[in-house]
């Protein structure tokens, strides 16, 4: 039996951040992941500056030999309408590739890595857990993403939750695709669905293109993706068919009822359901929750994690507005927002500043 103080199940940003924050704790920590790294992860790969500061990542060091695309503007609109360009005049976000980023975080985190090893069995023992009948751990961190086996074990039923579902393709463009792509690296393009229940994106990072669409509604996702690709082609943003997309899902913070802390375990990242509600940004809250979980382990106080996580990620900024909105028919809100999204002031002040960059 291999014995650890902490076993982290999942080596994405949530799990590796937790391990990284425990690297000087004196605790014996391991990360178990079913995949061998570097591995692909369905994701746009857009990160905001606090990701770098929270993890003390030197942008220059990171950018050496890896994709690191500064973002200085956004193109915002609705599918089928004319978009507006919002120039932020300085880098306000970055584009990374998840197979590089997650591998970078995992390799420097200091934990023992048990890769290519899915969690198969999980049993309780008096002082903790037994995993796969060969690993003992006092504390278990569920960092296995939306379908995390630890989250499932403590009651999550992913198939019944109202998650965001998404499809995405990321690929290196060949010479002909490069010549037929009008999307600029410094300007991700975001196009909202007519009912405002999701949006599509077209995000270039050097020669890499990332195209996807996510919706808070799992019906007819493929036909929304098809419509979006048709729109991109009809407007000349791309003049070729991207490869077949891959799908995934995540829960928005506020929609999740998962119990993030319990006897001998904590859930972090997508396993806890923490993505920002309007943008779907999940990497930052995954990292923040991983760091917070580590601090609670060191403090020997897992019970305070739930409350501190709520404090960190915050409740609603505009509770009065949300309360007011709850009394309006959803169709009215969607139609209003759909009309506003192509207006410059709304795209800048609300979509970019508030929804995507969390500006005060
Ligand atoms: C299409 C799409 C686009 C997105 N775009 C963005 C974006 O641009 N920016 C952003 O901030 N967020 C984005 N997100 C959200 C973001 O991808 C997630 O919030 C983030 O990856 C969560 O990190 P995590 O570490 O919690 O989980 P993950 O990154 O999912 O990592 C979980 C790890 O657990 C492992 N695992 C799973 N099951 C097991 C098991 N049984 N045994 C062992 N290991 C297991 C997996 O192999 C994986 O490595 C997007 C999501 C989707 C679906």
């Amino acid at each position: 039996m291999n014995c650890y103080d902490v076993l982290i199940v999942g080596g994405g940003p949530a799990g590796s951040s937790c391990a990284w924050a425990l690297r000087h704790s004196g605790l014996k920590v391991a990360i178990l992941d079913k995949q061998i790294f570097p591995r692909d992860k369905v994701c746009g790969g857009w990160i905001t500056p606090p990701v770098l500061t929270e993890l003390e990542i030197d942008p220059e060091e990171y950018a050496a030999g890896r994709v690191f695309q500064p973002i200085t503007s956004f193109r915002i609109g609705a599918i089928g309408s004319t978009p507006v360009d919002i120039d932020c005049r300085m880098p306000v976000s970055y584009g990374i590739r998840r197979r590089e980023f997650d591998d970078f975080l995992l390799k420097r985190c200091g934990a023992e890595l048990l890769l290519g090893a899915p969690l198969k069995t999980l049993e309780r023992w008096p002082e903790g857990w037994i995993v796969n009948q060969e690993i003992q751990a006092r504390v278990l961190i569920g960092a296995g993403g939306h379908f995390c086996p630890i989250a499932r074990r403590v009651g999550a039923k992913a198939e019944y939750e109202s998650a965001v579902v998404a499809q995405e393709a990321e690929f290196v463009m060949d010479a002909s695709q490069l010549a037929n792509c009008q999307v600029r690296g410094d300007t991700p393009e975001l196009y909202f669905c007519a009912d405002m229940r999701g949006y599509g994106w077209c995000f270039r990072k050097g020669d890499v293109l990332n195209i996807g669409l996510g919706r808070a509604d799992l019906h007819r996702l493929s036909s929304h993706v098809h419509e979006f690709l048709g729109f991109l082609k009809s407007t000349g943003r791309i003049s070729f068919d991207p490869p077949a997309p891959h799908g995934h899902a995540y829960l928005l913070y506020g929609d999740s009822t998962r119990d993030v802390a319990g006897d001998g375990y904590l859930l972090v990242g997508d396993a806890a359901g923490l993505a920002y509600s309007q943008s779907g940004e999940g990497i930052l809250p995954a990292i923040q929750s991983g760091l917070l979980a580590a601090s609670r382990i060191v403090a020997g106080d897992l019970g305070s994690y739930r409350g501190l996580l709520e404090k960190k990620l915050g409740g609603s900024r505009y509770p009065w507005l949300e309360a007011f909105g709850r009394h309006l028919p959803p169709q009215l809100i969607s139609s209003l927002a759909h009309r506003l999204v192509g207006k410059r002031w709304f795209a800048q002040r609300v979509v970019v500043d508030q929804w995507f960059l969390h500006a005060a």
Side-chain angles (χ1 to χ4, degrees), residues 31-255:
I31 293 183
L32 182 88
D33 199 294
K34 64 182 178 184
Q35 304 236 42
I36 305 278
F37 282 60
R39 57 99 174 92
D40 287 319
K41 159 76 180 81
V42 178
C43 182
W46 158 67
I47 57 168
T48 45
V51 165
L52 304 178
T53 40
E54 293 267 17
L55 291 180
E56 296 168 24
I57 295 173
D58 174 0
E60 263 182 49
E61 182 204 338
Y62 181 80
R66 299 180 193 87
V67 168
F68 189 69
Q69 170 67 62
I71 294 169
T72 53
S73 51
F74 293 87
R75 177 168 285 208
I76 307 285
I79 297 171
S81 306
T82 310
V84 290
D85 286 331
I86 305 298
D87 186 357
C88 303
R89 296 165 204 271
M90 55 188 263
V92 289
S93 296
Y94 303 93
I96 49 89
R97 295 197 79 183
R98 286 295 298 271
R99 62 177 291 112
E100 295 174 350
F101 185 70
D102 290 14
D103 192 47
F104 171 84
L105 297 184
L106 197 62
K107 292 226 164 92
R108 64 163 210 169
C109 79
E112 196 173 317
L113 303 181
L114 312 170
L115 303 181
L119 183 140
K120 290 183 191 146
T121 62
L122 181 60
E123 296 152 61
R124 243 359 204 128
W125 70 299
E127 289 162 60
W129 305 84
I130 299 178
V131 170
N132 293 351
Q133 294 175 334
E134 57 182 17
I135 304 169
Q136 276 183 358
R138 279 195 307 111
V139 175
L140 210 52
I141 298 294
H146 183 63
F147 299 102
C148 178
I150 312 301
R152 283 175 178 269
R153 163 68 185 251
V154 298
K157 294 201 166 35
E159 50 283 19
Y160 299 115
E161 292 171 317
S162 53
V164 169
V165 287
Q167 288 187 358
E168 171 252 53
E170 180 168 287
F171 54 101
V172 180
M173 291 185 281
D174 61 25
S176 145
Q177 290 169 329
L178 281 168
N180 287 293
C181 175
Q182 300 301 319
V183 181
R184 287 167 49 127
D186 57 7
T187 310
E189 306 193 6
L190 311 171
Y191 300 98
F192 287 82
C193 299
D195 60 4
M196 294 298 287
R197 300 204 68 193
Y199 69 91
W201 64 89
C202 205
F203 186 9
R204 181 169 173 176
K205 315 165 211 179
D207 291 354
V208 176
L209 194 63
N210 187 301
I211 299 183
L213 183 136
R215 283 180 58 78
D217 165 23
L218 49 86
H219 303 290
R220 297 180 50 248
L221 177 64
S222 297
S223 60
H224 283 282
V225 172
H226 186 73
E227 184 197 349
F228 177 50
L229 291 179
F231 170 70
L232 291 178
K233 286 203 258 178
S234 71
T235 50
R237 306 314 295 154
I238 54 167
S239 322
F240 53 84
D241 286 316
H246 297 281
H248 200 43
Y250 56 87
L251 280 173
L252 299 177
Y253 183 63
D255 289 352

